[in-house]
Amino acid sequence: YSFFPGTPRWPRSRRDLTYAFEPRNQLTDDVKRVFTNAFARWSEWTPLTFTESNNYNTADLKIGFYGGNHGDGEDFDGVLGTLAHAFAPPRGLLHLDSDETWIIDDVFASGSPSAMDLESVAVHEIGHLLGLGHSSVEDAIMFPTISSGIRKVELARDDVEGIQVLYGTNPDSNSTTGPSFGEREMSGAH
Amino acid sequence: HFFPNVSSIPPSLLPNITAGAWDSFNNLSGCHLGQKVPGISKLKNYFHYFGYIGNISKNFTDDYDDALETAVKNYQLNFNLNATGELDESTVKQILKPRCGVADIVNGSSTMNSGKAASMTGHTVAH
């Protein structure tokens, strides 16, 4: 695991974070639910909580789909290439490329070379929102690349160790080690 | 474009979504230090974007120079590939994969593999 320069993180006074979706995207509940699941992957291991807010302007974390030049100096490049990006704390911006073909349910029966699993990318980008950089551990969520048709949503030990350096463990977890790494969900057609 | 599964993607959309943004890098497989090949400048932009080449100049040439070789080596270290500095097939295959737009090396430092290797050889301090 790695951190951004200066190891930015959400302060102790802001551990119950709110998130909201770009209103102009008019996302369906099915799409929003993907992000709810993705946030839960991180809250499972940390004291952080994530609650959806209807107020985009005041939310800690702002999620939106954009194409090409969308005003932050980090243009998207169309199909494939860069899929998404997010900014370190406390900016809280998570942007996804609206030109991609996003699969929100079942990615396993892949017949398209460019369909990307939305939850896999969302879990990765939330890691950046929380302060993690990229990892060289291939199994880790924070590994920078993901192939089309792949679903990779469970945190690896490397991810958990990194995020717990920043925020500590989940006080509500029943065990000292947290959920098992033995039943990881990572599969796909490729 | 959101779809519940792949089979729900309209066939009319499929032919338009098979060409990736970096497919042209396929033509650079086998390139190495000292060569001048059309398309190298675009690859340098790629490495610049992800933090492997510094912000000296963004008017990159098509020369496979020392800066690019170093960038390729660091990339190979970060992605657990043989650190040869050459654009071998496995390196190009990795470069072509879709990825997060956040840089691997921020402000010249990284705690991915390349940063650790540099730290061990005394070139930089990891933290």
Side-chain angles (χ1 to χ4, degrees), chain A residues 2 5 65 74 79 81-84 86 98-106 111-112 114 124-125 128 134 136 143-147, chain B residues 1-6 9 14 17-18 20-22 49-50 78-80 94 97-104 106-107 111-113:
Chain A
S2 73
F65 288 81
E74 306 286 340
V79 177
T82 52
L83 305 170
S98 58
D99 286 332
E100 307 297 344
T101 301
W102 294 109
I103 301 300
I104 59 173
D105 187 5
D106 174 21
S112 164
S114 57
H124 177 99
E125 298 304 328
H128 288 317
H134 284 147
S136 288
F143 193 70
T145 62
I146 183 169
S147 298
Chain B
H1 312 117
F2 300 107
F3 301 98
N5 51 54
V6 172
I9 302 173
L14 290 174
I17 58 174
T18 53
W22 300 320
Y49 188 86
F50 293 112
N78 282 347
F79 287 84
N80 311 304
Q94 182 65 47
K97 287 185 179 178
R99 60 163 291 158
C100 171
V102 174
D104 300 331
V106 181
N107 294 340
T111 48
M112 293 178 72
N113 282 347

Side-chain angles (χ1 to χ4, degrees), chain B residues 31-67:
Chain B
C31 287
H32 54 79
L33 182 66
Q35 289 186 301
K36 186 182 182 85
V37 181
I40 290 278
S41 59
K42 187 180 176 188
L43 183 68
K44 286 179 177 175
N45 272 307
Y46 173 98
F47 281 119
H48 171 71
Y49 188 86
F50 293 112
Y52 291 90
I53 293 181
N55 199 17
I56 301 167
S57 166
K58 288 180 77 173
N59 296 319
F60 295 119
T61 67
D62 283 330
D63 297 306
Y64 202 119
D65 51 23
D66 291 336

